[in-house]
């Protein structure tokens, strides 16, 4: 789960991390009022869950409050297109009005979970203000990674070492260490999956977070209701949001073959074999190990809501979930929702014979498949026909 910049900075303040003063604005009038309260030059920032906002025209430096109204009106409601939003962009519904900061240097700082080493990783770079992927590709030697044992925590010496590696002065390192300590406390206590400050700026003897991106582990949100309340439904794919209401795992893709599978690994393999046979999956959909007829019916509704779907592949391996229960859901959904595209179904495992018999006697236009490859070939052929 991601949060907006203004929400991330509010959390940073709680942990003693220095950030510029700023205020949220939902209207042009609120933006002007916020700028007056801050006095002096301000930065008007579009609040969407995407990086590269400046490149898309979503971040503007404004010399005074008198000029904020026109800038805010131009950004609010715009469809902001950045390298991370795709061509469709994202609608801007919120602005963050922030006091302008005098910048001497721009740096990069991030905390993440390094699954390869099973540790936390502190990443720093002198190349702030740039996409870290570009830095990694062109000049990887400019990225320093500090491995942190989660059972021990961040050592002061590690933070100091990273600060001096960035070329900070002794006084700047003191400010940097305080910032990193606060960020690490937030990262661990709130179950973050990513905490990224880009740019981290040096202003005189102070180091502060000019921008911040926080991502939280969805599986830990039950421990943090205060974080869960920060979720902005407008920033999420409507189908992914609807899927979560029924405990379905969904990711929208841009293909033409809708997939309904039980188990994340099987879902990945199903998408791979569709590609291998020359097709393109329209989604990742895992109905889970406790799927019932109602959940399967909702899964079909989600798939068919995508106008790009020209065919459906159902690939179920019965274990915890029973194939006859899935078959019941398929029949119910096909009758209630009205499936008008080709559908191929592969059932194997617990109660598979019963499930196949139910589908065969349902009177529905369903093509059975014997194995994954056979299923993939049949649905790809049906979509192309």
């Amino acid at each position: 789960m991601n949060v907006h910049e203004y929400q991330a900075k509010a959390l940073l303040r709680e942990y003693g991390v220095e950030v510029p003063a700023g205020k949220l604005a939902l209207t042009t009038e609120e933006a002007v009022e916020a700028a007056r309260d801050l006095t002096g030059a301000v930065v008007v920032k579009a609040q969407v869950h995407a990086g590269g906002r400046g490149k898309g025209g979503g971040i503007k430096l404004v010399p005074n409050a008198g000029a904020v109204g026109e800038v805010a009106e131009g950004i609010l409601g715009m469809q902001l297109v950045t390298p991370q939003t795709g061509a469709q962009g994202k609608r801007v519904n919120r602005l963050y009005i922030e006091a302008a900061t005098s910048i001497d240097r721009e740096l990069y700082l991030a905390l993440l979970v390094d699954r390869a080493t099973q540790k936390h990783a502190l990443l720093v770079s002198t190349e702030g203000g740039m996409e870290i992927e570009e830095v990694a590709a062109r000049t990887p030697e400019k990225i320093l990674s500090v491995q942190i044992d989660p059972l021990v925590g961040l050592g002061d010496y590690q933070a100091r070492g990273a600060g001096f590696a960035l070329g900070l002065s002794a006084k700047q390192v003191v400010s940097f260490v305080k910032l990193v300590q606060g960020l690490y406390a937030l990262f661990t206590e709130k179950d973050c999956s990513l905490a990224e400050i880009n740019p981290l700026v040096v202003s005189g003897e102070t180091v502060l977070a000019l921008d911040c991106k926080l991502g939280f582990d969805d599986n830990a949100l039950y421990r943090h209701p205060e974080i869960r309340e920060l979720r902005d439904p407008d920033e999420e794919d409507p189908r992914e949001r609807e899927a979560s209401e029924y405990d379905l795992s969904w990711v929208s893709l841009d293909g033409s073959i809708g997939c309904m599978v039980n188990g994340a690994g099987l879902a990945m393999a199903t998408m791979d074999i569709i590609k291998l046979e020359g097709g393109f999956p329209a989604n990742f959909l895992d109905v889970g190990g406790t799927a019932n007829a109602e959940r399967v019916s909702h899964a079909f509704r989600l798939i068919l809501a995508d106008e790009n779907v020209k065919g459906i592949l159902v690939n179920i391996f019965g274990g915890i979930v029973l194939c006859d229960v899935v078959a019941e859901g398929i029949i119910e959904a096909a009758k209630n929702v009205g499936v008008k595209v080709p559908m191929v179904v592969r059932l194997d495992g617990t109660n598979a014979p019963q499930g196949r018999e139910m589908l065969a006697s349902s009177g529905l236009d369903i093509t059975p498949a014997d194995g994954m490859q056979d299923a993939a070939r049949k649905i790809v052929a049906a979509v192309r026909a």
Side-chain angles (χ1 to χ4, degrees), residues 60 79 89 123 142 149 151 160 201 239 244 265-267 348:
K60 301 286 187 181
Q79 204 70 17
L123 301 183
K142 292 186 177 181
D149 187 331
L151 298 179
R160 284 195 299 269
V201 300
R239 284 169 295 178
S244 66
L266 186 60
D348 203 356

Side-chain angles (χ1 to χ4, degrees), residues 112-188:
L112 51 83
V113 177
D114 188 339
R115 300 189 185 281
T117 62
Q118 298 184 16
K119 293 182 179 181
H120 295 147
L122 170 66
L123 301 183
V124 296
S125 175
T126 55
E127 306 301 296
M130 295 177 57
E131 292 185 14
I132 197 64
E133 293 82 4
E134 292 182 12
V135 179
R138 298 177 183 177
T139 54
E141 70 279 2
K142 292 186 177 181
I143 301 176
L144 171 66
S145 177
V146 179
Q147 297 293 307
I148 304 168
D149 187 331
L151 298 179
V152 177
L154 173 69
D156 291 350
Y157 73 95
Q158 292 177 306
R160 284 195 299 269
F164 284 118
L166 291 171
L168 300 175
S169 69
K171 289 185 178 179
Q172 290 168 348
V173 166
V174 172
S175 175
F176 175 80
V177 169
K178 179 183 177 183
L179 182 147
V180 175
Q181 288 173 332
L183 185 65
Y184 187 73
L186 167 62
F187 182 83
T188 54

